[in-house]
Amino acid sequence: MTIATKARPVDEETPLLTNGPVFQRTPLPWFQFSILLFLHMAEPLTSHVIYPFAPELIRNIGITNGNEKKTGYYVGLMQSMFYLAEAVTIFQWSRLSDHIGRKPVILIGLTGLSVSMYTFGLSTTFLGLVLSRCFNGALNGNIGVIKCMIAELADPTNIAEAFAYAPIAFSTGATLGPLIGGSLSRPADQFPWLFGSNPFLKKYPYFLPCAISATFTVLSLILALAYLKETVKNPIPLSHLIAKKKPTLHTDDSPKAALETNEAPLPIRAVMTPKVLVAAGNYAMLSLIDIAYRAIQPVFFSTSIADGGLSLSPPAIGVILCMYGLLNGLLQVFCFARIHNRWGSRNTFCLGILAAIPVFTLFPVMNWLAKKEGACGILVWFAVGAQLGFSVSMNIAYGAIFIIIADASPNRASLGATNGLSQTTVSVMCAIGPATANSLYSLSIEKGYLGGNLVYLVLIGVVGMTYWIALLLLPRDGNSRRSWHKG
């Protein structure tokens, strides 16, 4: 990095570390960064691939006993169990990565992800589906660990760019997943000339899209094993940690020395600073809003028009979710860094939160339009497009909060624990969100509360509360230069 002599104005909320030399932007290490982006695709690909056919799958296994209005309960429960398992384990995976390194934890996560998707495609009972998702959540600590590696590969001059490119991987997975899930579910019915005589795919009609996503994860595992470089300095070998039972993960020794050297992970209590807790809390609320939307959206699309939905088929749902992923990637790569650099992390986060209000408002509008002119009406699809646009805008809040969390880490060596703590709160919210949102959705329709629209009013209230908390508690400037970063 080169240094310019430009000085910055200081007020009572400006971090002291930002006053001083201004560093010109340094390039990202693209080879390693590209590998991380590729690995990051695995999680959204495997999670989004089931969205188009999940409501149909739940109905077909018979758990609803033919009552379509109960579909939301079971879809939400299945999704929530994944996040509940993740909430129990993800902090320990992230904390472990501070000690044994990021790469071993990522390899374990990719292995668990691939195995769980193969078993999900072979499951024919609701219990089998839930166990597969729990296995996935329990072994997948990669979300927080990959964010740690992104922050460690970047520096204060290019971190906004790094977190602008990072959503491309998520968006690509979120684009391909629904496309694969919607177009390749029930292949014997959709492509009888190719798969009509295949008894295996007739018995397991949802195995093919699950197997494709699982195989992609296996390829990611091979790539990581061969080319991914460790970013933790002097990691402890896992075998050494187990053999000597070194109490590194729980020690409270010398937190002050660890903070000063940046080389030793801090104890848990030292990581839980007010800055970290505030950042984690806002991240959790954003995720609650987002996961509630993601949980309701495919159920709403597949629900009949008479019961408050749009009566769309899995292929149609897959195309819509595919368009979301594509638009999200374009917005993030071309707009996020500019928005963030102009408005700062807090304002960018708040802007994304506000975009959720029209997202939820458009659900009853789409159903009202469908009742008037049918699901194929022009105004219906205009409303669907508008909702996609607002939901994409909502996602700029993620890049902002990732930067705020990285800034909040007490030192470099505790970045895994900081991200793990944040991801734990998110996983708890995500465990609550799908089941609660889909249950409230089903209850609103079944009981006719506010014409079936009570769920949207409640979620708009959550959005308003989240915006107020962020405006009140997040630091004015989330772009502080991280004191633990070595330029």
Side-chain angles (χ1 to χ4, degrees), residues 27-87:
L28 289 167
W30 278 108
F31 182 70
Q32 285 297 304
F33 191 69
S34 298
I35 294 175
L36 276 182
L37 294 183
F38 188 82
L39 300 181
H40 195 31
M41 285 175 55
E43 196 278 332
L45 178 64
T46 53
S47 63
H48 284 66
V49 74
I50 71 172
Y51 283 2
F53 62 77
E56 183 180 81
L57 171 60
I58 291 297
R59 297 187 194 108
N60 289 347
I61 62 176
I63 191 70
T64 63
N65 295 316
N67 187 348
E68 182 181 341
K69 295 179 181 179
K70 291 184 178 180
T71 302
Y73 291 114
Y74 292 101
V75 172
L77 179 60
M78 181 180 68
Q79 292 172 334
S80 293
M81 292 305 294
F82 164 82
Y83 290 106
L84 182 61
E86 185 179 75

Side-chain angles (χ1 to χ4, degrees), residues 24 26 33 95 103 107 110 376 383 389 405 421-422:
Q24 294 181 356
T26 53
F33 191 69
R95 181 73 168 151
K103 184 174 179 177
L107 295 177
L110 291 172
C376 296
I405 291 170
L421 178 64
S422 301

Side-chain angles (χ1 to χ4, degrees), residues 107-129:
L107 295 177
I108 294 171
L110 291 172
T111 302
L113 196 60
S114 60
V115 171
S116 69
M117 287 309 299
Y118 284 122
T119 58
F120 187 91
L122 294 172
S123 299
T124 57
T125 65
F126 183 70
L127 178 60
L129 297 175

Side-chain angles (χ1 to χ4, degrees), residues 230-271:
E230 184 59 65
T231 57
V232 172
K233 295 182 179 181
N234 304 317
I236 302 170
L238 182 59
S239 58
H240 179 77
L241 191 67
I242 295 173
K244 293 196 173 183
K245 299 181 181 180
K246 187 175 180 178
T248 309
L249 294 181
H250 306 286
T251 182
D252 287 335
D253 296 338
S254 304
K256 182 177 180 181
L259 184 60
E260 291 174 349
T261 63
N262 284 331
E263 297 300 328
L266 292 167
I268 295 174
R269 287 198 302 271
V271 173

Side-chain angles (χ1 to χ4, degrees), residues 15-229:
L16 294 177
L17 290 170
T18 65
N19 189 34
V22 178
F23 292 90
Q24 294 181 356
R25 182 190 166 278
T26 53
L28 289 167
W30 278 108
F31 182 70
Q32 285 297 304
F33 191 69
S34 298
I35 294 175
L36 276 182
L37 294 183
F38 188 82
L39 300 181
H40 195 31
M41 285 175 55
E43 196 278 332
L45 178 64
T46 53
S47 63
H48 284 66
V49 74
I50 71 172
Y51 283 2
F53 62 77
E56 183 180 81
L57 171 60
I58 291 297
R59 297 187 194 108
N60 289 347
I61 62 176
I63 191 70
T64 63
N65 295 316
N67 187 348
E68 182 181 341
K69 295 179 181 179
K70 291 184 178 180
T71 302
Y73 291 114
Y74 292 101
V75 172
L77 179 60
M78 181 180 68
Q79 292 172 334
S80 293
M81 292 305 294
F82 164 82
Y83 290 106
L84 182 61
E86 185 179 75
V88 173
T89 60
I90 195 165
F91 177 79
Q92 297 303 325
W93 285 120
S94 298
R95 181 73 168 151
L96 184 65
S97 75
D98 283 337
H99 297 265
I100 69 171
R102 316 292 185 207
K103 184 174 179 177
V105 174
I106 288 177
L107 295 177
I108 294 171
L110 291 172
T111 302
L113 196 60
S114 60
V115 171
S116 69
M117 287 309 299
Y118 284 122
T119 58
F120 187 91
L122 294 172
S123 299
T124 57
T125 65
F126 183 70
L127 178 60
L129 297 175
V130 169
L131 290 177
S132 296
R133 296 301 288 163
C134 287
F135 183 77
N136 187 330
L139 287 182
N140 185 20
N142 286 0
I143 299 176
V145 177
I146 288 177
K147 290 171 188 172
C148 291
M149 294 193 77
I150 290 174
E152 288 166 337
L153 288 175
D155 64 37
T157 70
N158 57 25
I159 191 169
E161 181 188 11
F163 280 112
Y165 279 104
I168 295 177
F170 186 93
S171 297
T172 303
T175 300
L176 295 177
L179 191 62
I180 294 170
S183 60
L184 296 181
S185 61
R186 295 185 293 104
D189 296 332
Q190 293 199 65
F191 309 101
W193 54 274
L194 184 61
F195 300 110
S197 60
N198 190 315
F200 179 83
L201 292 179
K202 287 183 177 180
K203 182 177 180 180
Y204 303 104
Y206 305 101
F207 176 78
L208 184 59
C210 294
I212 290 175
S213 63
T215 303
F216 173 85
T217 307
V218 172
L219 296 176
S220 301
L221 175 65
I222 296 171
L223 178 67
L225 189 62
Y227 296 109
L228 185 64
K229 292 183 179 179

Side-chain angles (χ1 to χ4, degrees), residues 173-465:
T175 300
L176 295 177
L179 191 62
I180 294 170
S183 60
L184 296 181
S185 61
R186 295 185 293 104
D189 296 332
Q190 293 199 65
F191 309 101
W193 54 274
L194 184 61
F195 300 110
S197 60
N198 190 315
F200 179 83
L201 292 179
K202 287 183 177 180
K203 182 177 180 180
Y204 303 104
Y206 305 101
F207 176 78
L208 184 59
C210 294
I212 290 175
S213 63
T215 303
F216 173 85
T217 307
V218 172
L219 296 176
S220 301
L221 175 65
I222 296 171
L223 178 67
L225 189 62
Y227 296 109
L228 185 64
K229 292 183 179 179
E230 184 59 65
T231 57
V232 172
K233 295 182 179 181
N234 304 317
I236 302 170
L238 182 59
S239 58
H240 179 77
L241 191 67
I242 295 173
K244 293 196 173 183
K245 299 181 181 180
K246 187 175 180 178
T248 309
L249 294 181
H250 306 286
T251 182
D252 287 335
D253 296 338
S254 304
K256 182 177 180 181
L259 184 60
E260 291 174 349
T261 63
N262 284 331
E263 297 300 328
L266 292 167
I268 295 174
R269 287 198 302 271
V271 173
M272 298 176 66
T273 65
K275 287 181 64 178
V276 170
L277 295 178
V278 166
N282 279 274
Y283 182 23
M285 293 303 295
L286 169 63
S287 298
L288 175 63
I289 294 168
D290 186 47
I291 197 66
Y293 167 59
R294 305 288 165 224
I296 289 174
Q297 186 187 36
V299 179
F300 169 84
F301 284 152
S302 68
T303 301
S304 66
I305 295 175
D307 286 330
L310 289 186
S311 297
L312 298 181
S313 65
I317 297 172
V319 170
I320 294 172
L321 298 181
C322 172
M323 290 301 298
Y324 158 79
L326 180 62
L327 291 173
N328 185 45
L330 291 174
L331 177 71
Q332 296 289 344
V333 71
F334 290 113
C335 300
F336 171 74
R338 295 180 182 179
I339 294 172
H340 180 270
N341 291 338
R342 180 177 178 83
W343 298 103
S345 296
R346 187 187 70 167
N347 290 339
T348 302
F349 179 83
C350 291
L351 183 64
I353 291 294
L354 286 177
I357 293 177
V359 165
F360 292 118
T361 302
L362 282 165
F363 276 118
V365 172
M366 286 187 288
N367 178 250
W368 179 76
L369 291 171
K371 288 178 178 178
K372 289 180 67 68
E373 57 180 41
C376 296
I378 295 177
L379 291 178
V380 174
W381 288 103
F382 178 82
V384 170
Q387 188 186 57
L388 285 179
F390 283 114
S391 66
V392 166
S393 300
M394 185 170 68
N395 283 315
I396 63 173
Y398 277 109
I401 200 64
F402 294 157
I403 293 174
I404 292 172
I405 291 170
D407 287 340
S409 181
N411 72 350
R412 180 190 182 95
S414 298
L415 189 58
T418 302
N419 274 283
L421 178 64
S422 301
Q423 200 64 47
T424 298
T425 63
V426 167
S427 297
V428 170
M429 287 297 187
C430 289
I432 297 170
T436 303
N438 276 337
S439 296
L440 188 55
Y441 173 83
S442 294
L443 185 65
S444 299
I445 293 175
E446 196 170 0
K447 302 297 183 181
Y449 294 139
L450 292 179
N453 298 321
L454 175 63
V455 58
Y456 310 125
L457 183 63
V458 171
L459 290 171
I460 288 172
V462 173
V463 172
M465 181 180 67

